[in-house]
């Protein structure tokens, strides 16, 4: 029973965090999207910092779990407070609900609610009328979007694996374990702050590449410092945690800016599934370092990190871009390095989207005709 409850706790908490990130950057304007995620990440960082204090004063693990788990009941109130995003409602053909929500948003902002039909939120591309499964099947036929998805899945796997390998190994570092966890929380606050600064100046893609390169460098150097310079090794580990934490924050913002609205949550789910696989691998990396030299695993991990970050040159920059509302909007984003034949693929993509949309309207037409005959 304990394992079942722990599993449910991990699943639901992870889903709620991803959903929070999605709601924020779908609702926030482009110029404030990074700041919106900064607020979410800051809440996580403060909670991480509180863990060391609670664990220090509450040594009984059962009481500790009761205190932390009891705080989760505040989410019940969110069902009555938080609305769905207008973009999701429109992308899934719930126009009446979207109109009511837009009226509510405008009235709360003190703006006129006349001519709600002329709202920019309601003027989406016709391709958003495609359902989620039709859009997903369309993406499976588009090499450019499949390459993006594959790169992001690999990035999630490596980033989560690296993040939790460092985070779960803080207890084994030299020094007081409670203080090490506290430093880990301080690093979390620093990484969400630096994330907000870096993505606004360098963009999402370049921030990920730079921070993962520095993280890999720190992991590669750390084994050479453990025996002679223990405190310097701790500092290097914290620096690597800082860098991979910034990259982790980028992965919560960047994928949603590469895919259309009615597939955004699905893409996050797929990427996060690969990320949790990386989380499963991280304990084995920790135990492998305990059973022998950590030089081999550290250098191998650093090499994989550098390889993953280099693949991001195949992805487009999205700084200051509007969120793509359809498959065609997503295809218009161009990368610095062409990973497939763009011209031919774009023509094929447009044909695929149009065929899918035409088939959907045909199904509606035949259904109406059948109902009229009956």
């Amino acid at each position: 029973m304990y394992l079942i409850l722990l599993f449910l706790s991990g699943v639901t908490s992870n889903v709620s965090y991803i959903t929070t990130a999605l709601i924020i950057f779908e609702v926030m304007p482009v110029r404030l999207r990074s700041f919106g995620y900064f607020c979410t990440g800051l809440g996580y960082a403060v909670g991480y910092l509180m863990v060391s204090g609670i664990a220090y004063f509450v040594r009984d693990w059962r009481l500790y779990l009761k205190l932390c788990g009891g705080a989760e009941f505040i989410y019940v109130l969110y069902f009555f407070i938080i609305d769905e995003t207008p973009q999701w409602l429109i992308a899934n053909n719930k126009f009446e609900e979207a109109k009511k929500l837009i009226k509510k948003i405008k009235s709360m902002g003190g703006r006129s609610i006349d001519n709600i039909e002329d709202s920019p939120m309601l003027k989406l591309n016709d391709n958003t009328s495609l359902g989620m499964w039709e859009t997903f099947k369309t993406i499976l036929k588009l090499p450019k979007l499949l390459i993006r998805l594959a790169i992001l899945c690999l990035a999630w796997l490596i980033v989560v694996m690296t993040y939790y390998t460092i985070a779960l190994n803080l207890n084994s570092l030299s020094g007081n374990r409670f203080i090490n966890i506290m430093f880990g929380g301080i690093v979390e606050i620093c990484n969400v702050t630096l994330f907000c600064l870096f993505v606004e100046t360098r963009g999402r893609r370049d921030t990920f590449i730079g921070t993962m390169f520095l993280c890999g460098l720190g992991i590669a150097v750390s084994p050479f410092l453990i025996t002679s310079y223990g405190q310097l090794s701790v500092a290097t580990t914290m620096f690597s945690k800082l860098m991979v934490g910034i990259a982790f924050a980028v992965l919560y913002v960047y994928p949603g800016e590469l895919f259309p609205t009615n597939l955004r949550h699905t893409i996050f789910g797929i990427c996060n599934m690969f990320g949790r696989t990386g989380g499963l691998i991280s304990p084995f990396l920790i135990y492998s370092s305990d059973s022998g030299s950590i030089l081999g695993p550290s250098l191998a991990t650093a090499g994989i990190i550098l390889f993953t970050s280099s693949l991001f040159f195949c992805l487009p920059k999205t700084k200051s871009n509007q969120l793509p509302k359809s498959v065609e909007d997503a295809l218009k984003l161009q990368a610095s390095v062409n990973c497939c034949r763009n011209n031919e693929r774009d023509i094929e993509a447009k044909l695929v989207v149009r065929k899918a949309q035409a088939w959907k309207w045909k199904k509606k037409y035949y259904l109406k005709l059948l109902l009229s005959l009956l």
Side-chain angles (χ1 to χ4, degrees), residues 14-72:
N14 191 46
V15 170
S16 66
Y17 190 83
I18 294 176
T19 306
T20 302
L22 281 169
I23 291 174
I24 281 178
F25 76 77
E26 284 191 353
V27 172
M28 300 288 279
V30 176
R31 68 181 186 279
L32 296 176
R33 199 180 298 154
S34 301
F35 177 76
Y37 183 77
F38 162 77
C39 295
T40 305
L42 187 62
Y44 172 82
V46 172
Y48 194 117
L49 186 61
M50 290 172 61
V51 163
S52 61
I54 297 173
Y56 181 80
F57 291 103
V58 182
R59 301 299 177 95
D60 180 39
W61 66 272
R62 290 183 176 87
L63 181 58
Y64 173 82
L65 289 179
K66 289 177 182 178
L67 288 174
C68 294
E72 303 294 329

Side-chain angles (χ1 to χ4, degrees), residues 222-295:
S222 183
F224 299 99
L225 303 174
I226 290 178
T227 55
S228 303
Y229 307 97
Q231 295 301 320
L232 185 58
S233 174
V234 173
T236 306
T237 302
M238 290 298 177
F239 175 77
S240 298
K241 187 176 187 299
L242 173 65
M243 293 296 106
V244 75
I246 297 172
F248 206 166
V250 172
L251 288 182
Y252 273 100
V253 176
Y254 192 43
E257 298 176 337
L258 297 176
F259 292 92
T261 302
N262 53 354
L263 200 62
R264 199 166 288 135
H265 207 293
T266 305
I267 294 298
F268 263 103
I270 294 171
C271 291
N272 197 55
M273 178 184 68
F274 280 86
R276 298 311 115 186
T277 304
L280 292 173
I281 296 172
S282 59
F284 295 99
L285 291 177
I286 295 173
Y287 293 140
S288 67
S289 63
D290 291 340
S291 59
S293 173
I294 66 169
L295 180 61

Side-chain angles (χ1 to χ4, degrees), residues 333-352:
L333 300 171
Q334 297 296 329
S336 302
V337 178
N338 294 328
C339 297
C340 61
R341 296 172 296 173
N342 286 327
N343 293 334
E344 295 181 12
R345 299 302 186 189
D346 287 347
I347 294 172
E348 293 176 7
K350 290 179 181 179
L351 291 174
V352 169

